[in-house]
Protein backbone atom coordinates (compact mmCIF):
# COMPACT_ATOMS: atom_id res chain seq x y z
CA UNK A 1 0.00 0.00 0.00
CA UNK A 2 1.60 3.25 -1.16
CA UNK A 3 0.22 5.61 1.49
CA UNK A 4 0.99 7.22 4.82
CA UNK A 5 -0.88 5.71 7.75
CA UNK A 6 -1.44 7.58 11.01
CA UNK A 7 0.81 6.61 13.97
CA UNK A 8 3.19 4.70 11.65
CA UNK A 9 6.44 5.80 10.03
CA UNK A 10 8.56 6.74 13.03
CA UNK A 11 9.48 10.20 14.27
CA UNK A 12 12.46 9.55 16.55
CA UNK A 13 15.57 7.40 16.59
CA UNK A 14 14.51 4.84 19.20
CA UNK A 15 18.19 4.30 20.10
CA UNK A 16 17.86 0.81 21.55
CA UNK A 17 21.61 0.76 22.29
CA UNK A 18 21.13 3.56 24.83
CA UNK A 19 18.23 2.05 26.79
CA UNK A 20 20.34 -0.45 28.71
CA UNK A 21 23.32 1.84 29.24
CA UNK A 22 22.68 3.83 32.42
CA UNK A 23 25.62 6.17 31.82
CA UNK A 24 24.62 7.09 28.27
CA UNK A 25 21.00 7.47 29.29
CA UNK A 26 21.94 9.66 32.23
CA UNK A 27 24.09 11.87 30.01
CA UNK A 28 20.99 12.68 27.93
CA UNK A 29 19.07 13.95 30.95
CA UNK A 30 20.41 17.46 30.70
CA UNK A 31 19.18 20.95 29.90
CA UNK A 32 18.92 20.07 26.19
CA UNK A 33 16.54 17.14 26.78
CA UNK A 34 12.91 17.48 25.69
CA UNK A 35 9.87 16.44 27.71
CA UNK A 36 6.66 15.67 25.83
CA UNK A 37 3.83 17.57 27.44
CA UNK A 38 0.78 15.42 28.12
CA UNK A 39 -2.60 16.09 29.69
CA UNK A 40 -3.05 12.76 31.41
CA UNK A 41 -2.08 10.64 28.41
CA UNK A 42 -3.57 12.95 25.77
CA UNK A 43 -1.30 15.27 23.78
CA UNK A 44 -0.88 18.95 24.50
CA UNK A 45 -0.98 20.82 21.19
CA UNK A 46 1.41 23.73 20.65
CA UNK A 47 0.28 27.00 19.03
CA UNK A 48 1.78 25.85 15.72
CA UNK A 49 -0.43 22.76 15.71
CA UNK A 50 2.33 20.30 16.59
CA UNK A 51 3.24 18.48 19.78
CA UNK A 52 4.15 20.69 22.72
CA UNK A 53 7.58 20.04 24.28
CA UNK A 54 9.08 21.27 27.52
CA UNK A 55 12.30 20.51 29.37
CA UNK A 56 13.06 18.06 32.18
CA UNK A 57 12.76 21.02 34.56
CA UNK A 58 9.01 20.81 33.89
CA UNK A 59 8.81 17.17 35.02
CA UNK A 60 6.86 16.13 38.11
CA UNK A 61 9.53 15.16 40.69
CA UNK A 62 7.37 12.15 41.63
CA UNK A 63 7.11 10.92 38.04
CA UNK A 64 8.97 8.14 36.25
CA UNK A 65 10.71 9.27 33.06
CA UNK A 66 10.36 7.16 29.93
CA UNK A 67 12.99 7.50 27.20
CA UNK A 68 11.27 7.89 23.82
CA UNK A 69 14.39 8.23 21.69
CA UNK A 70 16.67 10.79 20.09
CA UNK A 71 15.61 13.80 18.05
CA UNK A 72 17.35 14.59 14.76
CA UNK A 73 19.76 16.91 16.58
CA UNK A 74 20.66 14.22 19.12
CA UNK A 75 18.63 15.44 22.09
CA UNK A 76 17.04 12.92 24.42
CA UNK A 77 13.24 12.92 24.29
CA UNK A 78 11.21 11.76 27.28
CA UNK A 79 7.65 11.39 28.57
CA UNK A 80 6.58 11.13 32.19
CA UNK A 81 4.41 8.68 34.11
CA UNK A 82 2.90 10.85 36.82
CA UNK A 83 1.29 9.55 40.03
CA UNK A 84 -2.01 11.08 38.89
CA UNK A 85 -2.42 8.61 36.01
CA UNK A 86 -1.22 5.48 37.82
CA UNK A 87 -4.12 3.05 38.03
CA UNK A 88 -6.49 5.48 36.32
CA UNK A 89 -8.88 4.37 33.59
CA UNK A 90 -9.91 7.09 31.18
CA UNK A 91 -11.28 6.87 27.61
CA UNK A 92 -9.65 9.04 24.93
CA UNK A 93 -10.67 12.68 25.30
CA UNK A 94 -13.07 13.62 22.46
CA UNK A 95 -10.77 16.57 21.71
CA UNK A 96 -8.04 14.07 20.84
CA UNK A 97 -9.65 13.14 17.53
CA UNK A 98 -9.72 16.78 16.44
CA UNK A 99 -6.14 17.30 17.64
CA UNK A 100 -4.89 14.38 15.59
CA UNK A 101 -5.91 16.21 12.44
CA UNK A 102 -3.33 18.93 13.13
CA UNK A 103 -0.39 16.61 13.87
CA UNK A 104 2.17 15.63 11.27
CA UNK A 105 2.98 12.00 10.50
CA UNK A 106 6.12 12.23 12.62
CA UNK A 107 4.29 13.82 15.56
CA UNK A 108 1.56 11.17 15.43
CA UNK A 109 4.18 8.43 15.50
CA UNK A 110 5.96 10.01 18.48
CA UNK A 111 2.73 10.58 20.37
CA UNK A 112 1.36 7.12 19.61
CA UNK A 113 4.48 5.44 20.97
CA UNK A 114 4.56 7.70 24.02
CA UNK A 115 0.89 7.17 24.80
CA UNK A 116 1.20 3.38 24.63
CA UNK A 117 4.32 3.34 26.81
CA UNK A 118 3.04 5.74 29.45
CA UNK A 119 -0.29 3.92 29.65
CA UNK A 120 1.48 0.55 29.99
CA UNK A 121 3.61 1.83 32.89
CA UNK A 122 0.54 3.27 34.60
CA UNK A 123 -1.19 -0.13 34.46
CA UNK A 124 1.69 -2.49 35.24
CA UNK A 125 2.91 -1.54 38.69
CA UNK A 126 2.97 -5.08 40.04
CA UNK A 127 4.60 -8.31 38.94
CA UNK A 128 2.24 -10.72 37.16
CA UNK A 129 4.20 -13.65 38.57
CA UNK A 130 4.53 -12.90 42.29
CA UNK A 131 2.53 -9.68 42.86
CA UNK A 132 5.46 -7.59 44.12
CA UNK A 133 5.96 -4.00 43.04
CA UNK A 134 7.84 -3.45 39.78
CA UNK A 135 10.33 -0.70 38.94
CA UNK A 136 11.17 1.00 35.68
CA UNK A 137 14.22 -0.31 33.79
CA UNK A 138 15.98 0.22 30.44
CA UNK A 139 14.73 3.76 30.09
CA UNK A 140 11.13 2.68 30.41
CA UNK A 141 11.18 -0.18 27.93
CA UNK A 142 11.06 -2.73 30.74
CA UNK A 143 9.74 -3.14 34.27
CA UNK A 144 11.55 -5.44 36.69
CA UNK A 145 10.10 -7.17 39.72
CA UNK A 146 11.51 -5.75 42.97
CA UNK A 147 11.31 -9.14 44.69
CA UNK A 148 14.88 -10.48 44.80
CA UNK A 149 13.56 -14.04 44.73
CA UNK A 150 11.63 -13.33 41.53
CA UNK A 151 13.23 -10.53 39.48
CA UNK A 152 10.86 -11.20 36.59
CA UNK A 153 11.26 -8.88 33.61
CA UNK A 154 8.14 -7.41 32.00
CA UNK A 155 8.04 -5.68 28.63
CA UNK A 156 5.49 -3.44 26.87
CA UNK A 157 3.09 -5.60 24.89
CA UNK A 158 1.28 -5.01 21.61
CA UNK A 159 -2.08 -6.70 21.00
CA UNK A 160 -2.50 -7.89 17.38
CA UNK A 161 -5.89 -7.11 15.83
CA UNK A 162 -7.03 -8.22 12.39
CA UNK A 163 -9.15 -5.69 10.50
CA UNK A 164 -10.54 -6.91 7.22
CA UNK A 165 -12.71 -6.19 4.25
CA UNK A 166 -14.46 -9.11 2.56
CA UNK A 167 -15.17 -9.20 -1.17
CA UNK A 168 -17.80 -11.18 -3.07
CA UNK A 169 -18.52 -10.69 -6.78
CA UNK A 170 -17.07 -7.18 -6.76
CA UNK A 171 -18.92 -5.98 -3.65
CA UNK A 172 -17.54 -5.26 -0.20
CA UNK A 173 -18.81 -6.44 3.19
CA UNK A 174 -18.72 -3.72 5.86
CA UNK A 175 -20.26 -3.55 9.30
CA UNK A 176 -21.17 -1.04 11.96
CA UNK A 177 -20.52 -1.38 15.67
CA UNK A 178 -22.93 0.06 18.26
CA UNK A 179 -20.37 2.70 19.29
CA UNK A 180 -20.00 4.10 15.75
CA UNK A 181 -21.48 7.48 14.80
CA UNK A 182 -24.75 7.25 12.85
CA UNK A 183 -24.40 5.74 9.35
CA UNK A 184 -20.70 4.91 9.82
CA UNK A 185 -19.68 1.55 8.34
CA UNK A 186 -16.18 0.12 8.45
CA UNK A 187 -14.13 -3.04 8.10
CA UNK A 188 -14.78 -5.91 10.49
CA UNK A 189 -12.14 -6.39 13.19
CA UNK A 190 -11.14 -8.58 16.11
CA UNK A 191 -8.23 -9.61 18.31
CA UNK A 192 -5.96 -12.45 17.30
CA UNK A 193 -6.36 -15.25 19.85
CA UNK A 194 -3.63 -17.53 21.25
CA UNK A 195 -2.68 -20.28 18.82
CA UNK A 196 -3.99 -18.43 15.74
CA UNK A 197 -2.28 -17.27 12.58
CA UNK A 198 -3.52 -14.05 10.96
CA UNK A 199 -5.47 -15.94 8.31
CA UNK A 200 -7.11 -18.07 11.00
CA UNK A 201 -8.13 -14.96 12.93
CA UNK A 202 -9.59 -13.29 9.84
CA UNK A 203 -11.66 -16.36 8.97
CA UNK A 204 -12.88 -16.82 12.56
CA UNK A 205 -13.80 -13.16 13.12
CA UNK A 206 -15.74 -12.85 9.85
CA UNK A 207 -17.56 -16.09 10.60
CA UNK A 208 -18.38 -15.00 14.17
CA UNK A 209 -19.47 -11.44 13.38
CA UNK A 210 -21.19 -11.83 10.01
CA UNK A 211 -21.72 -15.58 9.60
CA UNK A 212 -19.71 -15.54 6.37
CA UNK A 213 -17.07 -18.16 5.50
CA UNK A 214 -14.09 -16.68 3.66
CA UNK A 215 -11.50 -18.40 1.51
CA UNK A 216 -8.36 -16.55 0.40
CA UNK A 217 -6.91 -13.97 2.79
CA UNK A 218 -4.38 -11.32 1.73
CA UNK A 219 -2.28 -9.07 3.96
CA UNK A 220 -2.49 -5.39 2.95
CA UNK A 221 -0.94 -3.08 5.61
CA UNK A 222 -0.56 -2.46 9.34
CA UNK A 223 -1.06 0.39 11.78
CA UNK A 224 0.09 0.89 15.38
CA UNK A 225 -3.01 1.95 17.31
CA UNK A 226 -2.28 3.40 20.76
CA UNK A 227 -5.73 2.91 22.34
CA UNK A 228 -4.25 1.43 24.43
CA UNK A 229 -1.61 -0.50 22.42
CA UNK A 230 -2.65 -2.56 19.42
CA UNK A 231 -1.23 -3.43 16.02
CA UNK A 232 -4.01 -3.25 13.45
CA UNK A 233 -3.27 -5.80 10.72
CA UNK A 234 -5.30 -4.90 7.64
CA UNK A 235 -6.33 -7.80 5.40
CA UNK A 236 -8.60 -8.43 2.45
CA UNK A 237 -10.54 -11.68 2.14
CA UNK A 238 -12.67 -13.32 -0.54
CA UNK A 239 -15.86 -15.34 -0.28
CA UNK A 240 -18.56 -16.82 -2.50
CA UNK A 241 -21.17 -16.62 0.28
CA UNK A 242 -23.44 -13.58 0.26
CA UNK A 243 -25.83 -14.54 3.06
CA UNK A 244 -25.10 -12.56 6.25
CA UNK A 245 -25.98 -13.57 9.79
CA UNK A 246 -24.77 -10.89 12.21
CA UNK A 247 -23.75 -11.36 15.82
CA UNK A 248 -25.90 -8.70 17.49
CA UNK A 249 -23.52 -8.53 20.46
CA UNK A 250 -20.77 -7.31 18.11
CA UNK A 251 -22.53 -5.48 15.29
CA UNK A 252 -25.61 -3.37 14.73
CA UNK A 253 -25.57 -4.20 11.03
CA UNK A 254 -23.48 -5.59 8.18
CA UNK A 255 -24.10 -5.06 4.46
CA UNK A 256 -22.65 -5.54 1.01
CA UNK A 257 -21.72 -2.32 -0.80
CA UNK A 258 -20.98 -1.85 -4.49
CA UNK A 259 -17.74 -0.29 -5.71
CA UNK A 260 -19.67 2.81 -6.73
CA UNK A 261 -21.21 3.15 -3.26
CA UNK A 262 -17.80 2.79 -1.59
CA UNK A 263 -16.20 5.28 -3.97
CA UNK A 264 -18.93 7.85 -3.33
CA UNK A 265 -18.68 7.43 0.46
CA UNK A 266 -14.89 7.79 0.29
CA UNK A 267 -15.32 11.10 -1.53
CA UNK A 268 -16.64 12.51 1.74
CA UNK A 269 -20.22 12.80 0.60
CA UNK A 270 -22.71 12.70 3.45
CA UNK A 271 -25.65 11.57 1.32
CA UNK A 272 -24.09 8.27 0.27
CA UNK A 273 -25.03 4.73 1.27
CA UNK A 274 -22.79 5.08 4.34
CA UNK A 275 -20.19 7.33 5.99
CA UNK A 276 -16.64 6.05 5.50
CA UNK A 277 -14.12 5.57 8.33
CA UNK A 278 -11.94 8.64 9.05
CA UNK A 279 -8.58 9.12 7.27
CA UNK A 280 -6.49 8.41 10.41
CA UNK A 281 -7.94 4.86 10.62
CA UNK A 282 -6.31 2.04 8.65
CA UNK A 283 -9.81 0.97 7.59
CA UNK A 284 -9.98 4.14 5.49
CA UNK A 285 -6.78 3.17 3.70
CA UNK A 286 -8.03 -0.39 3.27
CA UNK A 287 -11.09 0.89 1.40
CA UNK A 288 -8.92 3.26 -0.61
CA UNK A 289 -6.62 0.37 -1.53
CA UNK A 290 -9.58 -1.76 -2.64
CA UNK A 291 -10.86 1.00 -4.91
CA UNK A 292 -7.44 1.21 -6.58
CA UNK A 293 -7.38 -2.49 -7.49
Amino acid sequence: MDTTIAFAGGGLDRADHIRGDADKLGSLMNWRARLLRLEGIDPVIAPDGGLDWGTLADADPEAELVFLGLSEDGRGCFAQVTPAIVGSVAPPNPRLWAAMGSLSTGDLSIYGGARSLVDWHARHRFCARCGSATRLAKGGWQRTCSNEACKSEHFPRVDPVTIMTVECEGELLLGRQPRFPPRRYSALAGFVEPGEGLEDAVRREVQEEAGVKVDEVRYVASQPWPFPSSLMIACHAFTTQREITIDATELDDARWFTREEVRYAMSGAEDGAFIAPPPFAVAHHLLKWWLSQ
Side-chain angles (χ1 to χ4, degrees):
M1 181 186 290
D2 183 19
T3 189
T4 300
I5 297 177
F7 302 110
L12 295 173
D13 175 359
R14 297 196 173 205
D16 177 72
H17 63 286
I18 291 177
R19 297 174 187 173
D21 190 322
D23 291 335
K24 287 184 178 179
L25 191 59
S27 70
L28 293 173
M29 295 181 176
N30 54 38
W31 63 272
R32 298 183 67 242
R34 303 200 301 168
L35 179 70
L36 181 64
R37 296 185 189 274
L38 297 172
E39 183 180 339
I41 55 174
D42 289 338
V44 175
I45 305 302
D48 64 2
L51 293 175
D52 196 16
W53 294 89
T55 68
L56 295 189
D58 303 316
D60 183 332
E62 302 284 325
E64 293 178 328
L65 288 178
V66 174
F67 174 60
L68 302 178
L70 298 174
S71 62
E72 289 185 358
D73 59 2
R75 290 188 288 173
C77 297
F78 297 84
Q80 60 179 340
V81 185
T82 63
I85 68 169
V86 171
S88 64
V89 178
N93 190 313
R95 291 177 298 170
L96 172 60
W97 309 114
M100 288 195 300
S102 73
L103 296 178
S104 67
T105 301
D107 274 354
L108 278 173
S109 177
I110 293 169
Y111 169 64
R115 181 188 178 99
S116 291
L117 271 176
V118 169
D119 182 67
W120 179 78
H121 282 285
R123 293 185 292 112
H124 289 78
R125 314 302 291 184
F126 298 94
C127 177
R129 177 170 291 177
C130 74
S132 300
T134 58
R135 56 176 179 267
L136 182 146
K138 291 190 176 179
W141 293 86
Q142 176 180 318
R143 293 195 75 85
T144 303
C145 179
S146 60
N147 181 354
E148 289 297 316
C150 180
K151 292 185 177 179
S152 291
E153 297 176 345
H154 305 278
F155 301 91
R157 297 300 184 194
V158 174
D159 296 318
V161 178
T162 54
I163 181 165
M164 50 277 173
T165 45
V166 180
E167 181 175 351
C168 180
E169 299 175 348
E171 295 188 354
L172 210 60
L173 176 64
L174 301 175
R176 59 167 285 105
Q177 297 180 17
R179 63 181 178 83
F180 283 1
R183 301 184 57 244
R184 166 74 47 80
Y185 281 75
S186 186
L188 306 184
F191 288 98
V192 181
E193 294 185 346
E196 281 189 322
L198 296 181
E199 296 85 353
D200 300 325
V202 168
R203 293 187 178 102
R204 176 183 54 77
E205 284 290 343
V206 176
Q207 174 75 48
E208 289 177 356
E209 293 190 358
V212 173
K213 292 183 178 181
V214 303
D215 304 312
E216 181 185 354
V217 177
R218 297 179 184 175
Y219 167 80
V220 179
S222 65
Q223 178 187 37
W225 188 248
F227 305 103
S229 186
S230 298
L231 179 64
M232 308 299 292
I233 304 162
C235 297
H236 186 69
F238 295 85
T239 185
T240 58
Q241 177 190 336
R242 294 188 63 83
E243 182 180 353
I244 299 171
T245 304
I246 66 167
D247 177 357
T249 65
E250 295 283 345
L251 299 175
D252 275 347
D253 190 27
R255 288 179 47 195
W256 294 101
F257 293 94
T258 66
R259 188 172 292 269
E260 291 71 26
E261 287 174 325
V262 174
R263 192 183 309 279
Y264 190 61
M266 289 290 285
S267 73
E270 295 189 359
D271 61 343
F274 69 100
I275 295 176
F280 55 76
V282 73
H284 180 96
H285 297 283
L286 193 52
L287 268 61
K288 186 177 179 181
W289 169 86
W290 181 70
L291 290 172
S292 72
Q293 301 305 296

